[in-house]
Amino acid sequence: MMRTQVGIIGAGPAGLLLAHLLHLAGVDSVVIEARSRGYIEGRVRAGLLEQGSVDTLAEAGLAARLRREGLSHDGLELRFDGMSHRIDLHGLTGRRVTIYGQQEVVKDMVAARLETGRPLYFEVEDTAVHDVATAHPRITWTQEGTRQELHCDVVAGCDGFHGVSRGAIPAEVLRVYERIYPFAWLGILAQARPISHELIYARHSDGFALATMRSQTISRLYLQCAPEEDLSAWSDTRIWDALQTRLGAVNEGQILQKGVTGMRSFVAEPMRHGRLFLAGDAAHIVPPTGAKGMNLAIADVRVLARALTAFFRGEGEALMDRYSETCLSRIWKVQRFSSWMTAMLHRFDDNDPFEHRVQLAELDYVVHSQAARTALAEQYVGLPYES
Ligand code: DHB
């Protein structure tokens, strides 16, 4: 039997950042993760950080390599109807975004955790959460055939959309809001020079495409595809041809990795039940357009770390009581933004012609109205934090 103050399920950006912020505040935690270290450090995910996310990581002392290797972007490009339009993010908001892969963030956070000497266990199985409605919740799991039990004051469910934590909130308490999109993204990582210094979001009659990057020599490219797309139907040639058509031009190179990302909008409320707190994808999923997933996880954890720190300092539960409400007010605005970006840029097969013309008019309006550009930009660079 082990004991800690905060039992953290999941070593993604949410769980690891929470562990680190708690460590800085002198709060003890144990982090458990179902996957191996190699898996979580190698998994290619999104890679766009809002300025506030970068600042949060920097304040936590987690941004040394990010500052050296991250690519700072002052704008982005929208392409449709054969034309390109730049959105001057920095000119419109005074803020910028940074390209830095999620798995690089995870590597930096794992290294920081190991440095503290506090526990981080990989490849745990059969994780279960117990007694969250009491002041003595527990987490149990099996590791290398041995049953483990962790007694905590608080459990943080940072175990993603498919994790077990959300299931510990009774069904009669949990409200779920969900939308599944009739398309997905096929993403590749390629040994190829990015076509542009900035990101290009393209709306084409064949479907959406996005050109982003990880470095001066590595491109990350996405294509709208069918929801259950069979990767074997996409030869390298077919992928490059489709990218060429939708983006106008691409630099080809060796494809290092391919994957299909399903698209959904999802929110589970409330994000707290008793001594269980959900953060990141365990509580909400956004479609990838605009890259808000990791940024929302970081925003949740800022609020949670502060609330838990106050609690363990004997300042009571007021911030814990407000956790769900505080996070959800940001989450719903970001849900709105992500579904709006998705609707504006994708091809909907069952679109009626009227909807299609409205979609083009929306893009035309966004790029020609300073007010509309500003609205896009201020959400893209990241809404301000509540506190
Ligand atoms: C990236 C992914 C996104 O979904 C996005 O909107 C911007 C960038 C990326 O992987 O770099």
Side-chain angles (χ1 to χ4, degrees), residues 14-126:
L16 291 167
L17 178 61
L18 179 64
H20 198 69
L21 293 175
L22 292 174
H23 162 74
L24 295 176
V27 176
D28 187 38
S29 66
V30 170
V31 184
I32 60 169
E33 165 60 48
R35 307 284 192 163
S36 68
R37 181 177 178 185
Y39 180 89
I40 64 162
E41 292 189 348
R43 184 167 47 165
V44 183
R45 310 293 292 271
L48 185 103
L49 291 165
E50 295 174 357
Q51 184 164 324
S53 298
V54 172
D55 294 345
T56 302
L57 297 175
E59 284 158 23
L62 293 169
R65 193 163 66 95
L66 161 60
R67 292 267 191 235
R68 286 197 305 275
E69 297 177 15
L71 305 171
S72 185
H73 285 192
D74 287 353
L76 62 81
E77 211 174 285
L78 291 180
R79 249 181 221 185
F80 58 96
D81 255 357
M83 299 271 285
S84 281
H85 307 266
R86 184 167 186 267
I87 308 280
D88 180 4
L89 299 170
H90 188 258
L92 291 162
T93 66
R95 296 166 79 76
R96 30 176 76 90
V97 294
T98 300
I99 287 286
Y100 189 67
Q102 176 168 322
Q103 85 262 40
E104 305 308 321
V105 173
V106 167
K107 280 181 207 163
D108 297 344
M109 288 178 174
V110 168
R113 176 65 178 184
L114 296 176
E115 183 100 347
T116 66
R118 295 192 193 265
L120 164 55
Y121 302 118
F122 290 103
E123 296 180 77
V124 309
E125 296 173 298
D126 301 323

Side-chain angles (χ1 to χ4, degrees), residues 3 5 23 29 54 69 76 83 98-99 107 149 169 177 217 228 232 237 293 306 314:
R3 213 207 107 68
Q5 288 174 295
H23 162 74
S29 66
V54 172
E69 297 177 15
L76 62 81
M83 299 271 285
T98 300
I99 287 286
K107 280 181 207 163
E149 181 169 348
I169 302 184
Y177 302 85
T217 54
E228 308 293 334
S232 66
T237 311
R306 195 167 298 178

Side-chain angles (χ1 to χ4, degrees), residues 51 65 74 91 98 112 150 159 170 245 273 293-294 320 322 326 345 360 386:
Q51 184 164 324
R65 193 163 66 95
D74 287 353
T98 300
L150 176 66
D159 51 350
T245 303
H273 183 70
M294 173 166 49
M320 297 206 313
R322 293 219 312 268
T326 303
L345 290 162
L360 288 175
E386 281 214 348

